[in-house]
Amino acid sequence: MVPWQTILIVARAEWLHLRRDGRFQTASILYALMLAFAAAFAWMHHTQVEAERLDAQTSERERWLEQGEKHPHAAAHYGFYIFRPLHPLSWLESGTTPYLGTAIFLEAHRKNEVVFRPIDDGTGMERFGVFNLATVLAVLLPLLIILVFHDRLSTEREQQTLPLLICQGLTPGGLFFGKLAAGCLVLALWLAAAAGVAATVILVSGVSLLHWDTLARLAMLILTYGGLGALFLSATLAASAWARSSFNAVGLLLGFWMIGFLIAPRVLNDHAARTLPLPTRFAFELAMQEDLNDRTALREVLTAETSRLLELHGVDDIADLPVNFRAINLQLGEEHSNAVFDRHYNALFDRMDAQNNFIQRQALAVPLLAARAVGMSMAGTDFNHHRSFIESAETYRRLMQRILNDDLLLNPETAEAPYLAGRALWEQVPPWEFENPPFRELRGGLGWPLATLVLWNLCLPLAGWFGVRRLFLNP
Amino acid sequence: MITLLQLELRLLLRSPVWWTTAALAILLIGFALTHGHREHERRIDNRTTMFVEEQERLATMNRLAVDMRGMNPEAAGRRFGFRYAAKPELPLDFAVTGLSDLQSDILKVSTDPVEEWLQAHEWENPHRLFYGRFDLAFVLTFLLPLAVIALAAPVLSEERDRGILPMLRTQGFSLRRILVFKLAVRYSALTAVVLFALLAFASLPLATRPLPLGLIVTDMGMLALLSAAYLLAWFCIAGLVVSFTRGSAFAMGTLTGVWVALLVLLPASVNLVLDAADSGPGRFTYTDRIREVTLEAEQQAATEMGQFYHDHPELLGRVDEDSIINYSIGRTAIMLDVEHRVAEMAESFRESQLQRNAAYRRVAPVLFPLHFQSGLMSLAGTGMERHVHFLNEVSRYHRLYRTFFFERIVRGDRFVEFHRIPRFAYREEYLAVRWGRVVTSGLLMLTLPLAVLLLRLALWRHDSD
């Protein structure tokens, strides 16, 4: 009999056995209930928050357009809030969203911070974790796999059925990979249910699944958690083969799960924070303020620009220039502070990125961290997406200032007759729109986590196979 | 009884599970406390640097103000004279992170509205906030119950497997008595190890804290009691499960299920339901309304100011002492008016938050680990209640600080008194209030598991094996 035929026969027998197993049925029902619960409530919350955000954003835009006649620089300080939109898939995995601000006030001279973190308005219970589809797939699914499969090989020995199987000519590979194949079928069914629930909710919410980016993200998210599930399946069968009893196998697997789920993420994050510390807010603000106050370079640029303009227009006094010199002053001031903001904030965010990369490299031993990193990235709820939002908001703020200052430049004024702009100018500032980074840009940062998952998925089946070979030598 | 004790001790001392569990408990508690101490030291260093900067800045500004023959008090109060208000230390704040990684324990107070400086949190990687820290609270709340599961799951089934159970029964010990006795011994042993680890690893950090010895001893005592009560609650749950099951693997599986439900699934699920069911205004709506109200107030002020200059055209465009004073007064008045209008809005938002918290409290008695966590945070002063108290104290100080500057703005003074700007003086909560919260949490935590186990033991009629 060729090996794949053996695998198929074992898989079929295993599947039959699983279908009659009460644990499998209970696990499937529990899993389905959890999926439905997580999807329904997380989506409800998501739509509620998004609707509120859209209302607030529309009101802000209206207020901006209806602000009446005023000096462009007064309008620059009048400013407006922009609110971070949630990614259409963020209800699947809320990730770091509760810990990040949701609104940012855009105005002249200042790069304000993103404020109003959802966690600040919570009950404090959020620290115990949040419940969503990713929780079911990353936390509950491995536990269900352990529950259903922990004794699939050890019972063959405990119930003395192994010698019978050996007598029938079964090979270690046939037994292990046959059981693994049946397990993969179960996993595929469970994942298909998760994908089905996710796709249904997305379709109901009006997001097109034909949109390549959403589809690719959803597929990658499900596949990643599928990879994590497959890894736990291999680990469970391997432990079942190696452990002396089912009790020991459960203990070993729960230990593996707890280390991956509870201990390692905290230890590694703390370790990263110690190895690559962030500046304190106080030190950060002090250093930035010092650079903002240092206007030597700005003065030089301003002097050069003044000379250039005076020469260009053939006049001796700024007051005689056909343009509004105040606008030039304001714009150069903006550019000076923009350079300072970029330097300091980029250094801070790069350090956070470095911490995250450091954790991913250290997390080779903790596949759950790798899976969660990919999951958050696909759902648009990791720090990189937040950084994109901050950068988009800042680019928009600069555009807004540029439009207002350009208008002021063309409208000279005096103290007696200040220039007032109106709705026509406010409309020149386009409505803010945020595009999440496309899927193809995310792939680069996911190499390490995905490699971690692949590596584990290659090594664990081998470990299981060796375990079964050992069982065959000493049945 | 002596026979049972001897037997149980012999079993325990020969069990590799016991030695592994005890060693891990000591190791993890030691690591958590040492790690927490290091983090705390960094926070204290930062705080010291900030107060040094405050001293130097105020001294420099004082010299400058004297040289300039005084400066505008409005600018002094907003930009140069700000002071730091810090939440004072408590003995165990290094051990329990609680909400301290989300809340600022040092705030920069100026005449600006509270909202301007309240949102300034310490920089932290959001991924670290998401996963949480490895602190004592984490070890006690999440990991110690696993030690309880490992020790309690094999109770009775161990005796069954070794064939000792019938022998014990022939000596007149009922299953109920054997179960209670064995659990009591294991509980005492684990509690002793945990208390030893707490004392051993907390002593060094506590010895370096500039706090009254009485306070340290009492807080440590409370921590010991709370931890012992939490372990007891888990042993009660374990006893309940073991009394219903016959195999250790099944007991272990069930207890792990209870652990996952109580510490992972239920809190997160309740939170999700509360989020979805919350019909109150969210932050977006709140921000939107605040903006509306603010702009209305500013618009009204601008109209009134315009009317004023229309009536007094001679004042328009003047940049002299009087016009600066008028501008400062006008700006302050607008700020206060906006705050007054916003206060009503903020109150309604707070009301909605309180309702959410009340809903959470209604379901909480079932989730006893939450009460333990809450008790730990109350004890360490890193929970919501002490932070709210701190914010109230800062608000009180903010009013004092503002009054100091507003008086001078209205009088039109030239400001030179940087050395006289009031300092933040924190009035700590009454100890009885804090300890009361800890005791309440402890009682709430213990009541349900203990009652359920006692009820089970009282009704346990199945006494054969």
Side-chain angles (χ1 to χ4, degrees):
Chain A
M1 201 184 290
V2 285
W4 67 266
Q5 278 179 315
T6 320
I7 293 173
L8 209 63
I9 290 168
V10 174
R12 198 177 294 153
E14 185 69 10
W15 172 242
L16 270 177
H17 179 92
L18 279 170
R19 278 173 54 191
R20 292 176 193 144
D21 187 351
R23 284 177 307 176
F24 171 61
Q25 290 160 5
T26 315
S28 297
I29 292 169
L30 187 69
Y31 174 74
L33 287 175
M34 289 291 170
L35 272 186
F37 172 77
F41 282 96
W43 179 65
M44 250 167 76
H45 181 58
H46 174 92
T47 44
Q48 196 178 313
V49 171
E50 260 308 89
E52 214 179 284
R53 183 195 68 81
L54 270 173
D55 279 353
Q57 197 66 78
T58 312
S59 303
E60 271 298 277
R61 178 73 187 164
E62 276 169 15
R63 271 194 288 268
W64 170 256
L65 295 177
E66 301 293 333
Q67 60 180 305
E69 287 202 339
K70 62 173 63 147
H71 191 273
H73 194 61
H77 278 291
Y78 180 87
F80 54 84
Y81 272 100
I82 57 173
F83 304 102
R84 186 185 167 184
L86 294 171
H87 189 277
L89 297 182
S90 64
W91 64 274
L92 290 166
E93 161 68 288
S94 54
T96 59
T97 309
Y99 302 95
L100 295 166
T102 50
I104 183 164
F105 185 65
L106 307 181
E107 60 176 324
H109 317 308
R110 290 173 71 174
K111 177 186 165 110
N112 289 314
E113 275 166 38
V114 193
V115 292
F116 303 139
R117 302 181 300 185
I119 192 79
D120 294 330
D121 303 328
T123 55
M125 203 158 50
E126 291 83 355
R127 301 316 287 273
F128 278 83
V130 288
F131 200 83
N132 48 43
L133 215 80
T135 316
V136 178
L137 294 175
V139 182
L140 196 65
L141 187 67
L143 281 177
L144 294 180
I145 289 171
I146 295 173
L147 174 77
V148 176
F149 292 96
H150 72 273
D151 59 355
R152 298 313 306 144
L153 285 163
S154 55
T155 44
E156 303 285 4
R157 187 173 56 188
E158 285 166 359
Q159 295 175 358
Q160 295 295 310
T161 46
L162 196 59
L164 291 174
L165 294 174
I166 295 171
C167 289
Q168 287 175 1
L170 192 67
T171 58
L175 180 65
F176 178 77
F177 289 107
K179 296 221 177 222
L180 187 63
C184 285
L185 180 64
V186 171
L187 185 63
L189 287 174
W190 282 349
L191 287 174
V197 168
T200 311
V201 172
I202 291 169
L203 285 173
V204 168
S205 60
V207 177
S208 171
L209 266 182
L210 295 175
H211 187 234
W212 148 250
D213 197 76
T214 313
L215 196 62
R217 280 169 178 260
L218 178 63
M220 179 60 108
L221 190 139
I222 298 286
L223 277 177
T224 302
Y225 286 120
L228 184 73
L231 182 158
F232 263 92
L233 179 66
S234 304
T236 307
L237 290 175
S240 184
W242 283 95
R244 277 189 295 183
S245 65
S246 302
F247 181 78
N248 286 0
V250 174
L252 199 70
L253 289 163
L254 288 179
F256 178 60
W257 179 82
M258 303 244 173
I259 289 172
F261 172 63
L262 282 177
I263 300 175
R266 291 167 194 255
V267 172
L268 287 177
N269 273 284
D270 287 350
H271 182 46
R274 225 178 17 255
T275 314
L276 298 164
L278 298 177
T280 60
R281 172 175 283 278
F282 170 71
F284 176 87
E285 284 182 352
L286 208 64
M288 192 163 73
Q289 199 53 52
E290 240 169 57
D291 283 358
L292 285 171
N293 291 343
D294 180 9
R295 297 188 156 240
T296 320
L298 175 65
R299 271 194 294 272
E300 279 169 17
V301 175
L302 203 57
T303 312
E305 187 63 15
T306 312
S307 310
R308 192 185 71 80
L309 281 172
L310 291 176
E311 200 180 309
L312 182 73
H313 295 285
V315 290
D316 296 328
D317 192 359
I318 288 170
D320 299 328
L321 284 172
V323 291
N324 191 335
F325 191 75
R326 195 179 164 203
I328 293 169
N329 204 342
L330 285 169
Q331 188 56 36
L332 288 176
E334 284 290 332
E335 279 158 22
H336 161 73
S337 45
N338 289 348
V340 175
F341 295 144
D342 284 347
R343 198 163 53 248
H344 287 271
Y345 278 99
N346 284 345
L348 176 73
F349 295 155
D350 286 347
R351 181 48 76 101
M352 287 188 190
D353 272 341
Q355 283 186 347
N356 293 338
N357 291 333
F358 177 83
I359 292 163
Q360 285 309 323
R361 272 158 183 70
Q362 301 281 311
L364 197 62
V366 194
L368 185 96
L369 269 175
R372 281 234 108 146
V374 180
M376 284 186 210
S377 179
M378 292 303 109
T381 54
D382 62 350
F383 178 68
N384 284 336
H385 281 76
H386 187 68
R387 189 173 176 177
S388 301
F389 163 69
I390 295 174
E391 281 164 4
S392 159
E394 181 60 9
T395 308
Y396 183 71
R397 185 186 76 85
R398 291 176 190 183
L399 172 74
M400 179 175 121
Q401 298 311 318
R402 163 70 72 179
I403 291 171
L404 297 175
N405 287 337
D406 281 354
D407 182 72
L408 188 61
L409 180 73
L410 301 174
N411 292 284
E413 57 185 344
T414 58
E416 294 75 33
Y419 166 62
L420 296 180
R423 190 181 170 106
L425 176 60
W426 318 143
E427 278 176 350
Q428 280 181 37
V429 178
W432 176 72
E433 274 171 17
F434 175 60
E435 284 284 329
N436 279 295
F439 176 71
R440 62 176 180 280
E441 278 179 22
L442 301 176
R443 286 177 307 187
L446 300 178
W448 195 268
L450 289 174
T452 304
L453 287 174
V454 170
L455 193 68
W456 276 86
N457 270 304
L458 288 175
C459 292
L460 283 171
L462 283 179
W465 182 42
F466 281 118
V468 178
R469 283 180 61 167
R470 199 182 63 109
L471 274 182
F472 271 56
L473 293 175
N474 184 20
Chain B
M1 275 300 170
I2 301 294
T3 323
L4 261 184
L5 183 66
Q6 280 174 339
L7 179 72
E8 183 54 22
L9 281 176
R10 203 178 305 148
L11 271 177
L12 204 60
L13 292 176
R14 280 185 192 164
S15 158
V17 175
W18 158 250
W19 290 110
T20 315
T21 309
L24 276 176
I26 294 174
L27 193 76
L28 291 170
I29 289 174
F31 178 71
L33 286 172
T34 317
H35 175 63
H37 179 53
R38 271 205 302 258
E39 291 267 327
H40 182 262
E41 276 183 333
R42 189 173 175 241
R43 247 193 354 250
I44 294 296
D45 284 349
N46 179 41
R47 187 179 284 204
T48 311
T49 319
M50 289 173 84
F51 280 112
V52 169
E53 183 274 335
E54 181 187 277
Q55 289 299 316
E56 287 173 359
R57 176 171 37 81
L58 292 182
T60 310
M61 291 315 300
N62 214 44
R63 275 199 303 277
L64 270 174
V66 171
D67 290 349
M68 291 163 62
R69 297 199 183 147
M71 62 165 65
N72 178 6
E74 200 250 344
R78 285 185 63 224
R79 296 187 53 201
F80 308 114
F82 61 85
R83 297 200 81 139
Y84 299 113
K87 195 194 288 182
E89 296 176 57
L90 281 180
L92 292 170
D93 52 8
F94 76 99
V96 182
T97 306
L99 301 176
S100 66
D101 55 346
L102 295 172
Q103 305 157 337
S104 301
D105 59 0
I106 182 157
L107 294 167
K108 187 171 125 179
V109 179
S110 68
T111 47
D112 277 338
V114 179
E115 283 74 19
E116 297 274 321
W117 38 265
L118 198 59
Q119 290 281 336
H121 305 287
E122 191 50 81
W123 294 123
E124 188 60 283
N125 188 330
H127 288 266
R128 192 178 184 211
L129 293 174
F130 171 77
Y131 285 113
R133 290 190 188 178
F134 196 97
D135 62 350
L136 182 70
F138 164 68
V139 173
L140 295 179
T141 314
F142 283 84
L143 303 183
L144 268 193
L146 300 174
V148 176
I149 294 172
L151 289 176
V155 166
L156 291 188
S157 62
E158 211 170 37
E159 279 72 13
R160 274 194 200 99
D161 297 344
R162 287 167 186 252
I164 326 170
L165 205 55
M167 284 162 55
L168 288 173
R169 299 295 311 283
T170 53
Q171 292 184 19
F173 296 117
S174 66
L175 271 184
R176 184 168 49 191
R177 186 178 284 192
I178 298 170
L179 175 73
V180 172
F181 192 82
K182 283 178 73 71
L183 286 179
V185 170
R186 285 169 189 235
Y187 165 71
S188 311
L190 185 61
T191 308
V193 166
V194 169
L195 297 188
F196 162 75
L198 285 177
L199 196 67
F201 290 103
S203 304
L204 191 66
L206 284 172
T208 61
R209 310 292 294 272
L211 293 163
L213 184 64
L215 186 69
I216 291 177
V217 170
T218 324
D219 275 12
M220 272 305 285
M222 297 281 259
L223 174 67
L225 281 176
L226 202 60
S227 307
Y230 185 59
L231 283 176
L232 183 59
W234 272 103
F235 267 98
C236 288
I237 299 288
L240 187 72
V241 171
V242 168
S243 76
F244 278 110
T245 54
R246 292 172 71 86
S248 52
F250 190 74
M252 192 173 201
T254 311
L255 282 169
T256 309
V258 172
W259 181 92
V260 172
L262 285 178
L263 285 160
V264 183
L265 295 180
L266 284 173
S269 310
V270 170
N271 203 41
L272 180 63
V273 174
L274 286 182
D275 271 345
D278 187 14
S279 55
R283 270 288 173 188
F284 294 131
T285 310
Y286 174 70
T287 313
D288 185 36
R289 288 185 194 162
I290 294 271
R291 183 96 169 115
E292 187 95 46
V293 167
T294 308
L295 293 175
E296 261 173 32
E298 282 174 358
Q299 187 71 39
Q300 192 182 332
T303 312
E304 283 166 11
M305 200 70 105
Q307 187 61 45
F308 174 77
Y309 282 118
H310 184 263
D311 296 342
H312 302 279
E314 72 283 1
L315 295 176
L316 193 64
R318 267 176 53 185
V319 183
D320 56 16
E321 191 79 0
D322 282 350
S323 63
I324 289 171
I325 293 169
N326 284 339
Y327 173 79
S328 299
I329 293 173
R331 194 186 158 99
T332 307
I334 293 170
M335 187 171 75
L336 290 176
D337 183 34
V338 168
E339 275 182 36
H340 178 68
R341 294 180 193 220
V342 163
E344 207 175 301
M345 194 68 64
E347 192 51 45
S348 86
F349 186 72
R350 254 196 301 275
E351 196 61 41
S352 146
Q353 269 188 305
L354 286 176
Q355 280 173 10
R356 230 173 95 89
N357 284 342
Y360 149 63
R361 274 198 296 275
R362 276 197 291 276
V363 294
V366 185
L367 305 172
F368 69 89
L370 293 181
H371 287 296
F372 177 61
Q373 188 87 333
S374 162
L376 282 179
M377 290 196 288
S378 297
L379 186 61
T382 52
M384 190 63 88
E385 292 89 351
R386 186 162 183 259
H387 190 65
V388 168
H389 177 75
F390 169 64
L391 292 182
N392 289 339
E393 286 294 292
V394 176
S395 294
R396 192 175 56 80
Y397 169 62
H398 185 222
R399 286 195 292 275
L400 187 73
Y401 179 97
R402 275 180 153 186
T403 309
F404 177 81
F405 279 101
F406 289 171
E407 279 174 355
R408 282 153 181 82
I409 291 171
V410 173
R411 284 206 304 262
D413 287 357
R414 297 288 292 168
F415 187 72
V416 282
E417 306 158 293
F418 279 94
H419 58 288
R420 290 189 58 203
I421 299 174
R423 203 182 278 273
F424 176 59
Y426 181 76
R427 288 183 307 203
E428 186 58 273
E429 292 179 290
Y430 288 116
L431 277 180
V433 174
R434 184 162 63 91
W435 288 340
R437 279 201 298 268
V438 180
V439 172
T440 311
S441 297
L443 290 175
L444 278 171
M445 171 184 76
L446 203 51
T447 310
L448 196 66
L450 199 58
V452 172
L453 180 69
L454 290 176
L455 190 68
R456 163 66 184 152
L457 292 176
L459 299 175
W460 198 4
R461 292 283 172 261
H462 176 77
D463 210 18
S464 63
D465 191 76

